[in-house]
Amino acid sequence: MGIALTEAQRALTTADVPIGAVVLGPDGEVLGLGRNEREAHGDPTAHAEVVAIREAAAKLGEWRLADCTLVVTLEPCTMCAGAIVLARIPRVVFGAWDEKAGAAGSVFDVLRERRLNHWVEVFPGVREEECAALLKEFFGGHRH
């Protein structure tokens, strides 16, 4: 989670929401890093998880990220949860819950939806306070 938090901090340099992600291989090797880059690239799909998944798939030369783990500072949204399922990632570790748009157990539970062809093991609340504080500070500075 420390690597993901570092990536989240880096998102602040482009005024993006501070969310960071990392895809780890079965041996713990960092295969992909991501941070929110929607503002940086004007791309609505440039969420931290998607960026990290793309980088990991490119590094492996394979879209199936079986045996990998995705670690992210905020509960994935429906788009990111869909990408996780499609990439066949078996494990997701996340920090803060997203009570407005989360898709790993709060609003939706796409990652464990039995009607889909792949299910994900979810480990929530890792360094939750630290992850949530970064977001609260960011949004506190943007509300007037």
Side-chain angles (χ1 to χ4, degrees), residues 91-108:
R91 280 169 305 285
V92 169
V93 175
F94 72 83
W97 290 93
D98 184 348
E99 299 297 334
K100 292 182 181 176
S106 62
V107 179
F108 304 103

Side-chain angles (χ1 to χ4, degrees), residues 59-137:
K59 182 171 187 170
L60 292 175
E62 167 70 54
W63 64 266
R64 288 178 194 88
L65 301 181
D67 299 323
C68 292
T69 301
L70 175 78
V71 180
V72 61
T73 57
L74 182 67
E75 179 185 5
C77 70
T78 53
M79 177 186 70
C80 293
I84 290 161
V85 169
L86 292 172
R88 309 295 193 269
I89 295 172
R91 280 169 305 285
V92 169
V93 175
F94 72 83
W97 290 93
D98 184 348
E99 299 297 334
K100 292 182 181 176
S106 62
V107 179
F108 304 103
D109 200 353
V110 173
L111 296 182
R112 292 174 285 207
E113 172 55 60
R114 290 289 168 202
R115 292 172 290 184
L116 297 176
N117 65 337
H118 175 75
W119 308 293
V120 180
E121 197 173 6
V122 178
F123 300 91
V126 175
R127 294 175 71 174
E128 182 174 2
E129 295 80 15
E130 210 174 333
C131 294
L134 191 58
L135 291 161
K136 285 177 186 161
E137 183 180 321

Side-chain angles (χ1 to χ4, degrees), residues 17-88:
V17 177
I19 299 168
V22 58
V23 174
L24 302 170
D27 60 354
E29 176 189 3
V30 173
L31 299 175
L33 293 173
R35 63 185 175 278
N36 271 12
E37 296 181 345
R38 292 184 306 172
E39 300 298 331
H41 299 296
D43 178 356
T45 69
H47 287 202
E49 299 95 322
V50 172
V51 173
I53 288 167
R54 286 177 180 156
E55 187 174 292
K59 182 171 187 170
L60 292 175
E62 167 70 54
W63 64 266
R64 288 178 194 88
L65 301 181
D67 299 323
C68 292
T69 301
L70 175 78
V71 180
V72 61
T73 57
L74 182 67
E75 179 185 5
C77 70
T78 53
M79 177 186 70
C80 293
I84 290 161
V85 169
L86 292 172
R88 309 295 193 269

